[in-house]
């Protein structure tokens, strides 16, 4: 699974994973960028999707938003990291139930950084650090921000991790003359514009692309998590026949060889 970034739209990943789980389809490899890393990490830590759904739909945004003096970002990110430490039970990557990677970007070199070791919560905190909103994560000479800057949907990363079949979830880039309502919308929509062409190339590495319809949900609409989850469920159900056919073909090939 390659779970893409998209702030509040990323709650759609929960719906996609629910449908795949109900169909008996389990991912052995998960790569996530930004919100995709948040959902992917908690999922790989073994937290039931029902618990993740309740948290997304019933919690207030201030559970993970700790506003700070805007030197490097408006949100410190410590609260998000503490929540992730709780949900993942402070697990390292080696302790997860599935092979997981969080994608981030090094502001100093401009390079993609694939994090696959250390504490999961810290890595996800870096992957979700939207530039200008969350304070970057500094590790020595490396300054890490949101993985969506370099790889919005981490299909290439999932492929490089050894995945035979890559199912990507793209929660969308929507430029429909919708006016931004606050700073998160301004920054997220600006990144969307910059990433339009880049996203096409990363999706070339996917065998299946699930695209929930989230045009009415802005990046900052965290209160509409339930709608995003439903959109993820609907999009996944539409792709299920294709996914089953693809997986059956791979299984048959493996048996023959």
């Amino acid at each position: 699974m390659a779970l893409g970034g998209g702030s509040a739209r990323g709650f759609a990943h929960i719906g996609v994973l629910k449908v795949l789980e109900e169909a008996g389809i389990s991912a052995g490899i998960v790569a996530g960028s930004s919100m995709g890393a948040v959902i992917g990490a908690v999922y790989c830590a073994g937290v039931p999707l029902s618990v993740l759904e309740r948290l997304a739909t019933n919690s207030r945004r201030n559970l993970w938003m700790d506003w700070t003096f805007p030197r490097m970002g408006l949100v410190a990110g410590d609260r998000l990291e503490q929540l992730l430490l709780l949900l993942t039970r402070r697990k390292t990557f080696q302790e997860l139930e599935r092979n997981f990677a969080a994608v981030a970007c090094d502001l100093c070199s401009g390079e993609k950084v694939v994090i696959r070791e250390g504490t999961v919560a810290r890595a996800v905190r870096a992957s979700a650090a939207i530039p200008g909103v969350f304070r970057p994560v500094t590790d020595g000479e490396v300054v890490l921000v949101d993985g969506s800057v370099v790889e919005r949907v981490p299909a290439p990363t999932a492929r490089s991790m050894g995945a035979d079949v890559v199912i990507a979830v793209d929660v969308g880039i929507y430029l429909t003359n919708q006016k931004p309502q606050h700073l998160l919308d301004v920054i997220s929509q600006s990144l969307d514009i910059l990433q339009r062409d880049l996203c096409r190339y990363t999706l070339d590495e996917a065998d299946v692309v699930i695209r929930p319809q989230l045009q009415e949900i802005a990046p900052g609409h965290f209160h509409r998590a339930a709608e995003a989850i439903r959109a993820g469920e609907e999009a996944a159900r539409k792709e299920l026949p294709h996914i089953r056919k693809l997986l059956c073909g791979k299984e048959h090939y493996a048996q023959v060889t």
Side-chain angles (χ1 to χ4, degrees), residues 25 159 163-168 205-210 239-254:
I25 299 170
R159 184 74 71 187
D164 292 325
V165 176
V166 176
I167 301 172
E205 289 290 334
D207 297 288
V208 180
V209 180
I210 298 175
E239 293 295 335
L240 263 182
H242 183 195
I243 294 171
R244 283 198 177 105
K245 183 178 180 180
L246 187 62
L247 292 176
C248 286
K250 289 286 184 179
E251 186 175 305
H252 174 73
Y253 176 77

Side-chain angles (χ1 to χ4, degrees), residues 122-146:
R122 187 66 171 172
V124 174
R125 154 82 179 84
S127 179
I130 302 170
V133 178
F134 281 87
R135 190 170 62 197
V137 172
T138 302
D139 183 9
E141 297 300 314
V142 178
V143 180
L144 300 176
V145 294
D146 198 313

Side-chain angles (χ1 to χ4, degrees), residues 33-86:
S33 280
S34 197
M35 191 59 159
V38 174
I39 303 300
V42 178
Y43 174 64
C44 289
V47 176
L49 290 170
S50 58
V51 173
L52 192 51
E53 183 173 7
R54 286 198 300 272
L55 181 66
T57 55
N58 295 332
S59 68
R60 296 170 297 174
R61 199 189 327 170
N62 63 13
L63 273 177
W64 55 80
M65 290 291 197
D66 44 351
W67 303 102
T68 185
F69 184 78
R71 180 169 175 262
M72 295 279 279
L74 295 171
V75 179
D78 298 332
R79 187 171 293 178
L80 171 62
E81 187 171 346
Q82 289 301 314
L83 178 61
L84 288 165
L85 282 169
L86 176 65

Side-chain angles (χ1 to χ4, degrees), residues 80-97:
L80 171 62
E81 187 171 346
Q82 289 301 314
L83 178 61
L84 288 165
L85 282 169
L86 176 65
L87 291 172
T88 61
R89 301 176 185 175
R90 298 180 177 270
K91 288 183 177 180
T92 64
F93 281 80
Q94 289 69 33
E95 295 170 319
L96 294 176
E97 296 183 2

Side-chain angles (χ1 to χ4, degrees), residues 163-184:
D164 292 325
V165 176
V166 176
I167 301 172
V169 185
D170 179 12
V171 295
I173 294 175
Y174 302 106
L175 303 175
T176 56
N177 296 319
Q178 187 178 47
K179 288 186 177 180
Q181 300 300 311
H182 50 70
L183 181 60
L184 179 58

Side-chain angles (χ1 to χ4, degrees), residues 202-216:
T202 60
L203 288 174
D204 287 343
E205 289 290 334
D207 297 288
V208 180
V209 180
I210 298 175
R211 291 185 170 93
Q213 296 304 300
L214 301 160
Q215 293 93 329
E216 302 303 317

